[in-house]
Amino acid sequence: HRAQVTLQGAGGMLLRAEQRAPELTTAVDLVSDTLQRQIKRFKDKHWRRKPRRAGEQPMVMETPSDGAHDVEDGEEDVPQIVRTKEFAVKPMHSEEALEQMELLGHDFFVFRDAQNNFVNVLYRRKDGNYGLIVAGDVER
């Protein structure tokens, strides 16, 4: 059994947890424990932080597909898009995006840079560090 929970808090804060177990009640208990740890970590890091900036919008609106797709003969080995997510990108600084990515447990995070308004992608590298992709009119 798999228990998957996504919580959206004030200001668009998202917390997500997923756990698997042989018994449904065990999976629910495990996901509850995971969420409690995430909430505690969030409170410890953010409760004392300065107040949120005005005008911040919720960050993620998830729209999972049903996973159904047509496969032509001979195309079984060709990777296909099987899920689509739509979300509003929230203006934030890269440090906040990193914290959001960690809270969600994702390997990447899309956000709008609060300083230059460019769409950025923050990602976890194989060496344990992070990379940042900046999409905009960047002059180097």
Side-chain angles (χ1 to χ4, degrees), residues 10-139:
M13 179 59 60
L14 287 176
L15 298 175
R16 181 182 176 280
E18 179 177 334
Q19 294 291 333
R20 295 174 189 261
E23 298 294 323
L24 180 59
T25 55
T26 304
V28 170
D29 288 343
L30 290 171
V31 82
S32 175
D33 292 344
T34 301
L35 285 169
Q36 287 179 5
R37 283 192 304 276
Q38 288 180 1
I39 290 168
K40 181 181 181 331
R41 184 171 63 211
F42 172 75
K43 282 184 172 182
D44 289 347
K45 284 186 176 182
H46 300 283
W47 212 256
R48 294 173 198 91
R49 195 176 76 157
K50 61 186 174 188
R52 292 198 173 271
R53 293 172 290 279
E56 289 186 349
Q57 298 297 317
M59 217 169 0
V60 176
M61 302 291 286
E62 187 171 321
T63 309
S65 73
D66 62 2
H69 56 279
D70 297 327
V71 178
E72 301 275 332
D73 286 340
E75 290 186 7
E76 293 86 10
D77 296 331
V78 178
Q80 298 182 12
I81 297 172
V82 296
R83 185 173 182 180
T84 300
K85 287 187 177 186
E86 296 177 12
F87 57 94
V89 288
K90 172 184 172 186
M92 63 177 69
H93 298 280
S94 56
E95 295 81 16
E96 184 180 356
L98 176 61
E99 292 171 359
Q100 278 286 297
M101 185 178 82
E102 292 296 329
L103 284 170
L104 292 170
H106 290 172
D107 293 323
F108 70 94
F109 189 79
V110 180
F111 67 101
R112 184 172 301 279
D113 188 289
Q115 291 177 319
N116 60 25
N117 212 30
F118 291 160
V119 173
N120 292 348
V121 179
L122 179 67
Y123 63 95
R124 185 183 335 277
R125 297 170 42 98
K126 290 180 182 178
D127 64 5
N129 291 308
Y130 300 95
L132 184 65
I133 299 171
V134 178
D137 298 326
V138 180
E139 295 180 24

